[in-house]
Amino acid sequence: MFSGTKLITAIAAIAAIPLVNALSSSLQQVTGFVSTPTAPTMYVYIPTNKLALAPIVVAIHMCGGTGSGYFSQTQGYAQSADKYGFIVIYPNHPGCWDISSTQTLTHNGGGDSQIIVNMVKYAIANYGGDANRVYMTGTSSGAMMTNVLAGAYPDIFKAGVIYGGVPDGCFYVAGATTGSPGWNSQCSGGTLIKTAQQWGDQARGYYPGYSGSRPNLLIYHGTVDTTLAYANFNEQLKQWSNVLGVSFDHSVANTPISGYTKMIYGDGTKLVGISCNNVGHTPPVRTDDDLAWFGIPGSGNPPSATTTTAPSGTTTTSNPPTTTSTGTNPGAPTSPHWGQCGGNGWTGPTVCESPYTCKPANEWYSQH
């Protein structure tokens, strides 16, 4: 039993312990935002120490989720906003994000993607958001929307982080409208396979004539995802490696944590994939890594992957040995540049067109 004096002392000591999850501000529904062209509404977290010209992070919830729910599930963003002074937008959809219709896939097409862009523009005009530092991330349906935004609005977003998605345009359903998006079982099941060039042309086609910079992308996917099959991870990497003009360079095992494999394209500043072994749908959000990818608190790209040091106990594969065919048929088909050329279960060509060679990215996938 505590004596009166000891009890008071104990209470005072407990009160002095900082609350880890305490925030400087609160989530607000933006009643002044006009919800057009579609129905989603806007929530925002603005820290009390917001920068005069603040970066913007758009965090997009999964199907069946809410903006306020995603705020609660990913409070690391709000906590970091308190620390670094950026704004977080939480778009809110009453159902699933439309990633299937022509409207949402097309630049200024009038779909759910455009309303999220309108939220960004609202934050720039009303909260002092920095138009040159706008970033996006999402889980599941929100991850798919992040890919859609990367294709349709590369002029708005500088970088994105994707947790369990599919390639931009993979979920297209003929006749789908923004009010009643469809489900594409071929895409979700991982059987919609295209070449990197085909995926790249598709993404570029959603904003015809655009020739500016495009978002740098960090893509996570679980190897045992039964909602959006793991094959979609490879298809996303094929698509964006083509769009961003980078090729697979090397992988690092057990990075950023045990069981994850980091797949680095180019110098690692434009495209990185994280294969999450024995993880389903979807990988847990890694807030600090996201912000590093965005360059927050700074405004530049994260350090080049070629300058990083792998943690103790990891295995780095740099310029891995080439994979050649054991066949003898000189007329056997070859895999084109950017195409898949190996991996468990792969039955296609394992010989690359000249002068390219096949590099294993992980157990399931090899690419030029």
Side-chain angles (χ1 to χ4, degrees):
M1 297 290 291
F2 282 122
S3 66
T5 301
K6 288 183 178 179
L7 179 58
I8 292 172
T9 302
I11 292 173
I14 293 171
I17 298 173
L19 296 176
V20 175
N21 294 324
L23 299 174
S24 72
S25 187
S26 59
L27 185 68
Q28 309 169 36
Q29 182 172 4
V30 184
T31 56
F33 175 73
V34 179
S35 186
T36 59
T38 57
T41 53
M42 177 180 181
Y43 285 79
V44 67
Y45 182 81
I46 304 175
T48 56
N49 67 333
K50 182 192 74 68
L51 296 175
L53 192 60
I56 299 171
V57 174
V58 181
I60 311 170
H61 67 74
M62 66 290 293
C63 186
T66 63
S68 58
Y70 205 53
F71 164 77
S72 297
Q73 295 159 13
T74 59
Q75 278 215 3
Y77 294 131
Q79 292 166 359
S80 296
D82 281 346
K83 184 176 181 180
Y84 299 123
F86 61 89
I87 297 166
V88 191
I89 296 174
Y90 298 90
N92 179 74
H93 196 293
C96 297
W97 295 101
D98 168 24
I99 37 82
S100 303
S101 73
T102 299
Q103 294 102 310
T104 200
L105 291 170
T106 306
H107 183 77
N108 289 337
D112 282 352
S113 60
Q114 188 173 356
I115 198 170
I116 292 176
V117 168
N118 288 346
M119 293 178 192
V120 170
K121 293 178 178 179
Y122 186 95
I124 292 170
N126 294 278
Y127 303 134
D130 186 350
N132 293 314
R133 290 189 290 170
V134 181
Y135 313 102
M136 55 183 169
T137 184
T139 296
S140 188
S141 179
M144 293 191 278
M145 176 56 76
T146 301
N147 271 319
V148 168
L149 290 167
Y153 296 94
D155 54 329
I156 300 294
F157 298 95
K158 303 303 178 185
V161 181
I162 296 160
Y163 289 97
V166 301
D168 178 27
C170 182
F171 240 69
Y172 170 73
V173 176
T177 63
T178 194
S180 57
W183 180 267
N184 189 321
S185 296
Q186 185 183 15
C187 177
S188 65
T191 60
L192 184 53
I193 307 298
K194 298 185 180 183
T195 67
Q197 185 68 47
Q198 288 172 327
W199 281 126
D201 289 344
Q202 186 166 305
R204 286 182 288 266
Y206 294 133
Y207 190 177
Y210 179 76
S211 59
S213 62
R214 294 182 180 271
N216 304 324
L217 295 174
L218 173 60
I219 303 174
Y220 289 81
H221 213 106
T223 61
V224 291
D225 190 336
T226 58
T227 302
L228 300 174
Y230 181 70
N232 282 301
F233 176 57
N234 300 323
E235 296 306 295
Q236 289 172 87
L237 291 173
K238 286 161 62 176
Q239 180 174 59
W240 297 116
S241 64
N242 179 267
V243 171
L244 295 170
V246 290
S247 57
F248 173 73
D249 188 79
H250 69 281
S251 62
V252 185
N254 297 311
T255 302
I257 60 174
S258 178
Y260 284 21
T261 300
K262 184 175 184 179
M263 300 165 56
I264 297 168
Y265 286 71
D267 66 1
T269 60
K270 290 186 176 183
L271 179 64
V272 169
I274 306 290
S275 177
C276 309
N277 187 47
N278 206 32
V279 174
H281 187 70
T282 59
V285 171
R286 300 181 56 81
T287 306
D288 290 344
D289 289 350
D290 295 355
L291 297 181
W293 182 254
F294 296 153
I296 294 174
S299 59
N301 288 325
S304 169
T306 59
T307 65
T308 60
T309 301
S312 176
T314 65
T315 301
T316 302
T317 304
S318 182
N319 297 321
T322 60
T323 300
T324 59
S325 172
T326 57
T328 58
N329 180 5
T334 58
S335 178
H337 189 209
W338 309 107
Q340 185 172 356
C341 53
N344 281 355
W346 174 248
T347 59
T350 56
V351 175
C352 309
E353 65 180 12
S354 178
Y356 304 107
T357 57
C358 191
K359 297 180 180 180
N362 57 34
E363 178 182 355
W364 301 274
Y365 189 71
S366 298
Q367 183 181 308
H368 307 297

